[in-house]
Amino acid sequence: MNEIICYESIPNETKLKTENYSGFVFFSPLGVRSFFKNNQISVNSTIFAIGKTTESEIKKLTNQPVLIPEFPS
């Protein structure tokens, strides 16, 4: 068996003007951690997560409701 590294995840901790957005979509726990390092989400915004693992990471960082699909697609 030979190990082949297909990709490397690199956090992007860019500061955004989050007040310009009404919704936020997260596709991975790393994306959640990277975003929340320098940003906050308004209580009036909607948060979406691709699945339960990503939702779990969001819930560590905010008390706001998170919407997830029944089946990721």
Side-chain angles (χ1 to χ4, degrees), residues 20-34:
N20 293 339
Y21 303 96
S22 59
F24 297 85
V25 181
F26 294 96
F27 294 96
S28 71
L30 177 61
V32 171
R33 289 189 299 274
S34 296

Side-chain angles (χ1 to χ4, degrees), residues 2-56:
N2 294 324
E3 177 182 15
I4 299 173
I5 299 173
C6 298
Y7 69 91
E8 179 182 353
S9 296
I10 300 171
N12 180 349
E13 299 168 354
T14 303
K15 176 104 172 104
L16 301 173
K17 293 183 178 183
T18 57
E19 64 275 4
N20 293 339
Y21 303 96
S22 59
F24 297 85
V25 181
F26 294 96
F27 294 96
S28 71
L30 177 61
V32 171
R33 289 189 299 274
S34 296
F35 176 85
F36 278 95
K37 183 152 187 157
N38 291 314
N39 299 286
Q40 293 185 9
I41 295 178
S42 161
V43 294
N44 297 325
S45 296
T46 305
I47 303 173
F48 301 91
I50 191 69
K52 292 187 180 290
T53 304
T54 303
E55 175 194 33
S56 175

